[in-house]
Amino acid sequence: MKINRCTQNPLLTPADVRPSNPRFQVDGVFNCGVARYGDEIILLCRVAESVKQDEEGKIEIPIVVNEEGRDRIATVAYDKRVQTQFDYSDNRTIFRTRPNGGRIAVNLTSLSHLRVARSKDGIHFTIDEKPSIMPIASQESWGMEDPRITQIGQVYYITYSAVTENGVCVSLMKTEDFTYFERMGIIFGPENKDVTIFPEKIGGQYVAFNRPVPFGIGNPSMWLAKSPDLLHWGEQELFMAASKEDGWDAGRIGGGAVPVKTEKGWLVVYHAADENDRYCLGIYLLDPEEPKKVIGKLDVPFIEPETVYEKEGFFGNVVFTCGALLEDETLMIYYGAADDKICRVDVALQDIYEMLGV
Ligand code: MAN
């Protein structure tokens, strides 16, 4: 199996990104949506920021608030040495432990916005100086994460995690030029993530993977939903559950790259985490007319954290994708490495077919 990590990896790192505010630092540029736009490859990157700190043990997180009808950025500060009632062990989230056990998030450790990066060769990217879309208080007070782009005709539809203190929803946005973006609102209520919309109607309806997050019974798994108009989603069906065995996909699974059409069916690269939050990518092929029918699946990880840039970073041992392009018979997967960098891996379509036995 020939998995060709780009020799120039990582393609984008926090050092390449200008903070949206002089007080901020960029903690990560990762999990990006991908699109072909004219002679350019566009990455719509998730950029995570926090407030610069000189003092060890202090954390300050930007959030978006609305005051007197106007959005502004406020900050929430924590001092780990003093506020010992909170759990800081997960680099991504600050938790409060509940009296009955369990834990609830009191803040994320960063605020994410979305920013366009462009390239002619798909390897050397220039990221915009400023955010393309900043979160708004009414819909994304804790940030916009993990954008995924589906091109339908001339329109690029973008799904993303819309995070608020009341849960994570999935919202939809559209653009025709990656300059002007129009919000279309929430399409999946909390808690849901990882929505990938197929690029064409199947059986007269739009189809999307989504990943509801159950509480108590069952692990987060992949579901399929249908819609007549991209806004109203229903007919939910469980597609694939996280494995019940202890293994690479036992913690949770969810959509990754937007499904890619091939002459043999829909190629889907998804993510799976084990119970220690080690994130790998898996792959399967679906029937062209019946997306719930799997015609080939790899039972082992397709790509797993192996290199230093995937094992070490803001949150280590993570490879996570939101998009891939099929060009010249090669699948180019753009992915977030260790929650702070963007990388690319190429795999020839023929090798994928062989791997899947199709
Ligand atoms: C979650 C998401 C992703 C992130 C992974 C790993 O699934 O929030 O954005 O990359 O966790 O931290």
Side-chain angles (χ1 to χ4, degrees):
M1 178 161 86
K2 295 168 210 80
I3 302 287
N4 298 312
R5 283 176 172 79
C6 200
T7 51
Q8 288 92 338
N9 277 351
L11 307 182
L12 284 171
T13 74
D16 301 315
V17 186
R18 178 190 278 250
S20 66
N21 179 311
R23 288 180 62 208
F24 294 172
Q25 64 183 25
V26 173
D27 294 333
V29 53
F30 56 120
N31 303 358
C32 53
V34 185
R36 160 64 65 187
Y37 177 65
D39 64 350
E40 289 181 326
I41 290 182
I42 299 268
L43 302 182
L44 186 61
C45 310
R46 169 177 173 192
V47 174
E49 297 177 301
S50 60
V51 180
K52 277 187 220 157
Q53 294 298 323
D54 306 324
E55 240 180 287
E56 188 74 21
K58 286 204 170 172
I59 320 172
E60 212 177 331
I61 310 130
I63 57 166
V64 193
V65 295
N66 187 282
E67 278 167 1
E68 293 164 5
R70 282 196 57 190
D71 271 11
R72 71 172 188 88
I73 304 273
T75 58
V76 190
Y78 290 87
D79 188 332
K80 290 188 194 179
R81 296 156 305 184
V82 180
Q83 289 162 289
T84 51
Q85 70 271 39
F86 299 117
D87 174 357
Y88 305 96
S89 59
D90 188 319
N91 223 8
R92 306 165 295 180
T93 314
I94 299 167
F95 292 100
R96 177 172 66 77
T97 306
R98 285 177 154 148
N100 65 350
R103 51 184 202 168
I104 183 163
V106 290
N107 269 113
L108 300 184
T109 57
S110 59
L111 177 73
S112 293
H113 66 258
L114 306 184
R115 208 183 284 206
V116 167
R118 297 162 205 276
S119 170
K120 292 262 197 285
D121 64 4
I123 292 171
H124 301 91
F125 283 89
T126 309
I127 186 158
D128 285 1
E129 294 278 290
K130 291 192 176 142
S132 310
I133 318 123
M134 274 300 279
I136 55 174
S138 59
Q139 293 181 32
E140 306 118 4
S141 53
W142 284 16
M144 306 168 84
E145 303 182 353
D146 305 352
R148 294 179 166 94
I149 306 171
T150 299
Q151 183 180 359
I152 302 177
Q154 297 300 305
V155 185
Y156 297 87
Y157 292 93
I158 300 155
T159 68
Y160 61 97
S161 299
V163 192
T164 75
E165 61 183 308
N166 296 307
V168 184
C169 300
V170 178
S171 292
L172 186 67
M173 216 165 43
K174 66 177 176 182
T175 184
E176 287 189 34
D177 56 10
F178 291 96
T179 303
Y180 175 73
F181 296 85
E182 187 186 329
R183 278 188 173 74
M184 300 171 75
I186 295 170
I187 53 170
F188 288 90
E191 182 154 337
N192 208 316
K193 283 182 162 187
D194 306 317
V195 171
T196 57
I197 301 175
F198 285 67
E200 59 188 58
K201 283 185 175 174
I202 303 169
Q205 285 192 295
Y206 292 107
V207 181
F209 285 114
N210 65 109
R211 212 286 297 277
V213 186
F215 183 76
I217 301 178
N219 277 331
S221 299
M222 292 176 78
W223 292 65
L224 266 177
K226 293 182 181 163
S227 169
D229 58 4
L230 297 170
L231 291 175
H232 303 87
W233 292 90
E235 297 183 42
Q236 284 271 26
E237 269 185 274
L238 177 69
F239 170 74
M240 196 181 285
S243 133
K244 302 282 182 286
E245 313 287 320
D246 178 28
W248 69 284
D249 53 355
R252 61 175 63 106
I253 64 170
V258 170
V260 171
K261 195 175 190 181
T262 72
E263 77 274 12
K264 296 198 183 204
W266 295 101
L267 201 55
V268 177
V269 179
Y270 66 103
H271 76 261
D274 67 11
E275 289 180 329
N276 293 312
D277 280 341
R278 179 175 185 267
Y279 281 74
C280 296
L281 300 179
I283 189 165
Y284 46 72
L285 187 75
L286 306 178
D287 186 281
E289 266 100 54
E290 229 185 303
K292 62 180 179 185
K293 199 162 135 201
V294 179
I295 52 182
K297 181 176 186 296
L298 195 68
D299 288 326
V300 294
F302 175 44
I303 295 162
E304 52 189 327
E306 275 172 8
T307 63
V308 175
Y309 53 80
E310 293 160 352
K311 287 182 172 166
E312 291 173 16
F314 184 79
F315 193 79
N317 283 321
V318 174
V319 291
F320 191 96
T321 186
C322 293
L325 292 175
L326 181 61
E327 293 191 357
D328 304 326
E329 297 293 295
T330 299
L331 190 69
M332 312 184 304
I333 305 164
Y334 289 90
Y335 65 98
D339 277 1
D340 60 1
K341 312 167 233 30
I342 289 176
C343 297
R344 172 176 149 179
V345 60
D346 291 357
V347 192
L349 191 55
Q350 211 50 49
D351 289 340
I352 294 177
Y353 290 155
E354 267 172 41
M355 205 185 317
L356 295 172
V358 294

